[in-house]
Amino acid sequence: MVDSEGFLGALARFGVQSYFGVPDSLLSSLIVGLEARAEQGNCLLEIAADEGAAVGLAIGQYLGTRAPSVVFMQNSGLGNAVNPLTSLASPKVYGIPMLLLVGWRGEMTALGQIKDEPQHVFQGEITCEVLDILDIPYRVIGPDDALGAAHDAAEDLLRTAMAETKPTALVIRKNTFSTPTKPPQEMSDFPLREEAIKCALTSLGDMPLVGTTGKISREVYELQQGEGLGGPSFLSVGGMGHAAMIATGIALGDPARKVACLDGDGAILMHTGSLATSARQANLIHIVFNNQVHDSVGGQVTAGPDAKLTEVAKGLGYKTAQRITRLADIGPALEAAKAADHASFVEIMVAPGARSDLGRPKATPAESKTAFMAAIGRPHD
Ligand SMILES: Cc1ncc(C[n+]2csc(CCOP(=O)(O)OP(=O)(O)O)c2C)c(N)n1
């Protein structure tokens, strides 16, 4: 196992002063360390809205300081990063050095792929091949590596990045870094998210719904299983930030039926521009459970914890956008949204945190897709 503090110390000695990225659970102890260092003024840390944005920040930082930045992400975020990596940072375009730290979900070992959630299976399989195709030199580190090996790999990769003016990557296996000791969470006056979701599902009745990536969908699943709440649901296990467009696509197919999207604040920030499209969909109810953090991967703040999401939604075209801070207000707000003849945006402020025994859908994604399509009257076969 690699000591995350020692590793961050080594990166600092190699001249890295700025860190940009989207959090991942495999990298959470590094991010906790970075938050502390940034607070003391010892490095620059920006949680980006998406992984491509993080690459953009690293490009700008290099242009402005001649120093390489570290860009951290889960391997699922590589897709978001591919465009600025290929069209800007590549040595065939501008040639910008940076070191990517990529958390390898669904990692491949000599014995095959480790067991992981279905959304990580394909991405885990192709992660190293994607880096090969992108011509990004990389090294893999894991829990069997000592701190020295991790230092050496990072030093080599940073040297190559600078010498060849290109991105390089350190691919990080599960349990590589010591577990984070997170400072205790501040008490929140907002309701628990699971209770807020319960109120929302009660009010939405049998309306079809799309859930966002992470614990929101897992809580929807638990409430459906345990209490029989909620209508047909498509709980998008991956593709963070796209739930609203999936819900809008469904709503487009049957304008007479209302469709709900249960979104997260981090997910909305990842692809905010999509709200300009969903706002036009009269039969859409867009609900965001805003806890101001990336709860599902360790509770790191989002790119915009204080963003005024209702103002953003209104600015992008939603006729009504309401912010709610109490459970009692959820039912009335959703009743109004159900009666409205236009798209509605409802932001529900919730406390960070979730139960530790939260379940996950037992069906495969393909089975869930078939069940959802049959339940909304569009049998798959
Ligand atoms: C493109 C991409 N980047 C990162 C992740 C890892 N990830 C899964 S859930 C999540 C946090 C989602 O935050 P938010 O939408 O605010 O919901 P919360 O977890 O707080 O309920 C992240 C970063 C991912 N699945 N996909």
Side-chain angles (χ1 to χ4, degrees):
M1 197 170 275
V2 177
D3 171 56
S4 46
E5 271 309 301
F7 184 71
L8 289 176
L11 288 179
R13 285 196 298 282
F14 304 149
V16 177
Q17 282 160 1
S18 46
Y19 296 80
F20 309 119
V22 176
D24 171 31
S25 48
L26 298 195
L27 305 177
S28 52
S29 61
L30 276 188
I31 300 168
V32 169
L34 285 173
E35 281 166 348
R37 281 166 185 260
E39 219 161 88
Q40 290 154 12
N42 293 332
C43 73
L44 199 63
L45 169 67
E46 286 291 343
I47 301 294
D50 70 76
E51 294 80 358
V55 172
L57 285 165
I59 293 172
Q61 182 73 9
Y62 176 73
L63 296 176
T65 65
R66 294 177 56 194
S69 301
V70 158
V71 173
F72 55 88
M73 66 182 80
Q74 181 181 97
N75 52 344
S76 60
L78 262 179
N80 282 337
V82 164
N83 174 240
L85 286 171
T86 53
S87 304
L88 293 169
S90 158
K92 291 189 177 160
V93 192
Y94 290 108
I96 309 282
M98 67 186 74
L99 175 63
L100 312 179
L101 299 184
V102 182
W104 194 2
R105 296 296 304 261
E107 70 185 70
M108 305 301 294
T109 70
L111 303 172
Q113 188 167 38
I114 64 158
K115 198 169 158 30
D116 208 331
E117 300 308 317
Q119 66 273 25
H120 299 301
V121 170
F122 185 48
Q123 180 65 59
E125 222 175 276
I126 63 168
T127 293
C128 293
E129 278 175 72
V130 169
L131 293 170
D132 279 333
I133 287 179
L134 296 176
D135 194 25
I136 294 179
Y138 66 88
R139 302 264 292 267
V140 179
I141 56 166
D144 296 339
D145 285 312
L147 183 57
H151 283 188
D152 292 350
E155 190 175 15
D156 267 9
L157 288 163
L158 277 163
R159 245 196 223 119
T160 306
M162 290 305 275
E164 299 179 24
T165 57
K166 69 197 301 193
T168 58
L170 192 57
V171 178
I172 296 161
R173 293 187 187 277
K174 198 172 170 181
N175 298 328
T176 295
F177 291 107
S178 38
T179 21
T181 37
K182 239 190 132 38
Q185 236 161 29
E186 277 171 39
M187 291 295 284
S188 167
D189 292 335
F190 298 131
L192 293 177
R193 186 184 49 209
E194 194 169 355
E195 286 177 14
I197 292 179
K198 185 172 173 179
C199 290
L201 292 183
T202 305
S203 178
L204 294 172
D206 61 1
M207 188 183 299
L209 60 94
V210 177
T212 183
T213 313
K215 290 187 177 168
I216 289 174
S217 279
R218 289 172 62 190
E219 288 175 344
V220 170
Y221 174 75
E222 289 276 70
L223 289 161
Q224 286 177 326
Q225 296 301 305
E227 309 199 24
L229 291 174
S233 59
F234 184 84
L235 303 176
S236 29
V237 290
M240 178 177 163
H242 295 302
M245 288 298 87
I246 297 171
T248 303
I250 296 166
L252 273 168
D254 189 354
R257 172 159 54 183
K258 290 249 176 191
V259 177
C261 174
L262 273 56
D263 224 338
D265 53 313
I268 283 196
L269 289 169
M270 193 166 264
H271 297 297
T272 313
S274 291
L275 268 62
T277 307
S278 53
R280 284 195 291 274
Q281 198 56 41
N283 54 332
L284 185 81
I285 302 180
H286 195 170
I287 306 165
V288 53
F289 296 92
N290 186 355
N291 52 14
Q292 304 172 291
V293 295
H294 291 106
D295 192 39
S296 303
V297 289
Q300 308 84 351
V301 295
T302 64
D306 298 317
K308 306 252 178 307
L309 292 182
T310 51
E311 298 301 313
V312 171
K314 278 189 200 155
L316 286 171
Y318 278 90
K319 278 207 191 109
T320 53
Q322 194 178 344
R323 182 176 186 268
I324 285 171
T325 57
R326 300 181 322 152
L327 289 179
D329 296 332
I330 296 175
L334 293 183
E335 289 312 315
K338 285 197 299 195
D341 61 358
H342 51 73
S344 309
F345 186 88
V346 180
E347 178 187 24
I348 304 174
M349 299 306 296
V350 291
R355 283 194 278 134
S356 57
D357 60 348
L358 216 48
R360 294 177 190 272
K362 305 257 179 311
T364 66
E367 287 164 352
S368 305
K369 171 194 72 179
T370 307
F372 175 75
M373 292 175 77
I376 62 166
R378 300 278 191 273
H380 187 244
D381 298 312

